[in-house]
Amino acid sequence: MSLSLLFLSSKLFSCLCLTLFQHHVTFSASNPTGLTLRAVLDDSPNSPLYLIENMTIAERIERFIQVTNAKDNYLNLNARVGPDKSNSLSRVVMARDGLFYSVWLLIGSQGQEVKLLMDTGGGLTWTQCQPCLNCFPQNLPIYDSRASTTYSTLSCDHPLCQVEGSLYTCVDDLCIFVHNYHGGLYTTGVASLETFYFPMDPSTALTFHNLVFGCSRDSRNVVFQDTELSGIFGMNMMPDSLMSQLSSFTNFRFSYCLVPFPDLIPHTLVLRFGDDIPLLPPERVKTTMFVHAPYLYNYYVNLVTISFLNYRLGFPPSQFQLREDGLGGCFVDSGYLLTAIEDNYVGGVNAYDVLMDLFTAYYESNNLRRTTDPSGLDMCFERPNDFNNFANLTFHFDGEADYFVPPQHLHIFQQVHFCVAITRGRYATVLGAWQQQNKRMLYDVGLGRLQFADENCAND
């Protein structure tokens, strides 16, 4: 069976995913259309990556910015990879949502506990498996496929293993996956089927049978070794992601609401699917459509222009459009800490420089003096005690969906200075997590749209 997974309209994408998975994925529970998972910030004591006991807010922000820059370098390389390259489908980035959130679940007939990095840009979900050729040390027991009566391997006849140039290939009658990552990260193993259990409370779990996942037998240069983490929880638009596989139960819909980052002990993130997503208030909800493009499975949207202090900037129509070389465009990604504005010249205009010049002119007109910050952010100023007249931005998305970023989510405030929380985008423009605080983000992939509304995320 020959399938092309490289460019899918919303409707065709839905049909393909149903064709791939509806014949074997089954579900056990009384409510098959809703699912709620809790993902913990790695800065929370509940997270396996808890590292900030002795870190200040400034040190945490500096680390997150380094992660954002590393991810931007990765995407800049992979945007130029064509359909015939094996890396074109390797979208999992270890240093993205993995350094922000982890998800807990059980797999197999033995109910093996696993903790996975939540990755909205990753496709295949994978975990380390015994028998293991080269496994990295993890603090939870490694899942043993031999001990599970519900485990099976994916047939080489399966459509996923028939796609040329993908991360799957048939070797000795086994469907093998290989992930190669920028920076030397690597994992490979057997594409498999297993039962997944998502605990709802101490006595209840939602059960999904025959989910496709990666049984990793060889992983190298992994950044989260010696923690409880054992793999990746993939949530992008690839047909092998859990978002896609659970689509008949969640209607291709998932949602989250990010509580403010400056909280010293962050709340957990609630990742909601299907009918468990709260209704957005009609008077406040904004809707824009996703932009689908070949070889790209991030959540792209059409950014028309930007307003600075409610002044609409006259960027050319092509400024934020996705280009034929895979560069440009704008996508929404909670894996980026800070919003990135592309700094390439498009039609003779550099959008990043334009914005930074406006911030400079505005704050200098208020007699504020430039300063530096150890995080490496470009635009920082000394903060007088009596100054509170900070700038704001509005991102104007297609469909008259105006995304307002208030001053507290546009800047990072330190004791004696503040910085504009925007970085250079060498690859694209990205709406990052810092600018998503206290907003309900609803990814309705089935209808090909993103919806958002202001919300107090602490109540989620």
Side-chain angles (χ1 to χ4, degrees), residues 224-263:
F224 48 78
Q225 61 182 359
D226 295 314
T227 72
E228 293 184 341
L229 297 178
S230 62
I232 294 290
F233 188 90
M235 285 293 296
N236 73 3
M237 290 193 286
M238 289 292 292
D240 58 355
S241 75
L242 284 183
M243 188 282 297
S244 299
Q245 292 192 65
L246 300 177
S247 61
S248 59
F249 308 102
T250 63
N251 296 320
F252 284 104
R253 301 170 73 239
F254 72 94
S255 174
Y256 57 80
C257 195
L258 298 182
V259 296
F261 276 88
D263 290 359

Side-chain angles (χ1 to χ4, degrees), residues 4-9 12-13 291-297:
S4 174
L5 304 181
L6 299 179
F7 179 73
L8 306 173
S9 68
L12 177 59
F13 171 76
V291 176
H292 295 284
Y295 329 129
L296 300 176
Y297 298 93

Side-chain angles (χ1 to χ4, degrees), residues 76-300:
N76 185 35
L77 290 175
N78 281 276
R80 305 170 187 271
V81 178
D84 296 329
K85 304 286 187 177
S86 61
N87 281 350
S88 64
L89 299 180
S90 296
R91 298 297 179 190
V92 176
V93 182
M94 296 295 188
R96 46 175 289 133
D97 289 342
L99 285 181
F100 300 119
Y101 304 106
S102 62
V103 175
W104 176 69
L105 64 150
L106 307 173
I107 64 172
S109 61
Q110 304 296 313
Q112 173 65 53
E113 179 182 6
V114 296
K115 289 183 178 178
L116 307 175
L117 300 183
M118 191 188 77
D119 187 355
T120 58
L124 177 69
T125 290
W126 61 268
T127 186
Q128 294 198 114
C129 294
Q130 297 285 16
C132 201
L133 298 177
N134 184 54
C135 278
F136 57 87
Q138 64 179 64
N139 294 339
L140 287 175
I142 296 177
Y143 161 78
D144 192 339
S145 60
R146 299 166 298 186
S148 176
T149 60
T150 53
Y151 172 82
S152 62
T153 59
L154 200 67
S155 168
C156 284
D157 294 331
H158 191 279
L160 285 175
C161 214
Q162 297 290 311
V163 181
E164 294 183 4
S166 74
L167 58 87
Y168 300 94
T169 185
C170 187
V171 178
D172 296 331
D173 294 326
L174 287 176
C175 186
I176 303 298
F177 72 92
V178 178
H179 268 301
N180 291 290
Y181 307 94
H182 176 60
L185 305 176
Y186 165 91
T187 189
T188 184
V190 181
S192 306
L193 301 170
E194 185 55 285
T195 298
F196 280 45
Y197 305 90
F198 297 98
M200 301 293 103
D201 56 55
S203 61
T204 307
L206 296 182
T207 304
F208 292 90
H209 304 284
N210 295 319
L211 289 178
V212 174
F213 81 108
C215 196
S216 176
R217 305 285 172 78
D218 186 354
S219 298
R220 307 181 188 205
N221 303 317
V222 178
V223 297
F224 48 78
Q225 61 182 359
D226 295 314
T227 72
E228 293 184 341
L229 297 178
S230 62
I232 294 290
F233 188 90
M235 285 293 296
N236 73 3
M237 290 193 286
M238 289 292 292
D240 58 355
S241 75
L242 284 183
M243 188 282 297
S244 299
Q245 292 192 65
L246 300 177
S247 61
S248 59
F249 308 102
T250 63
N251 296 320
F252 284 104
R253 301 170 73 239
F254 72 94
S255 174
Y256 57 80
C257 195
L258 298 182
V259 296
F261 276 88
D263 290 359
L264 183 59
I265 302 298
H267 297 266
T268 56
L269 169 74
V270 179
L271 182 62
R272 300 180 183 274
F273 297 82
D275 289 347
D276 279 347
I277 298 173
L279 293 176
L280 299 180
E283 70 277 8
R284 291 191 288 115
V285 65
K286 302 293 180 65
T287 301
T288 190
M289 306 305 290
F290 290 127
V291 176
H292 295 284
Y295 329 129
L296 300 176
Y297 298 93
N298 287 314
Y299 295 100
Y300 281 85

Side-chain angles (χ1 to χ4, degrees), residues 38 257-260 263 267-268 270 438-439 455-460:
R38 290 193 176 272
C257 195
L258 298 182
V259 296
D263 290 359
H267 297 266
T268 56
V270 179
N438 276 339
K439 275 189 168 57
E455 188 169 310
N456 182 356
C457 296
N459 297 327
D460 194 19

Side-chain angles (χ1 to χ4, degrees), residues 311-328:
Y311 175 77
R312 195 178 180 101
L313 304 180
F315 287 115
S318 61
Q319 187 72 48
F320 302 106
Q321 290 181 359
L322 188 62
R323 301 187 291 276
E324 291 184 359
D325 61 2
L327 300 179

Side-chain angles (χ1 to χ4, degrees), residues 64-86:
F64 287 150
I65 292 171
Q66 291 170 351
V67 170
T68 295
N69 291 337
K71 180 181 176 181
D72 190 69
N73 289 335
Y74 171 85
L75 291 175
N76 185 35
L77 290 175
N78 281 276
R80 305 170 187 271
V81 178
D84 296 329
K85 304 286 187 177
S86 61

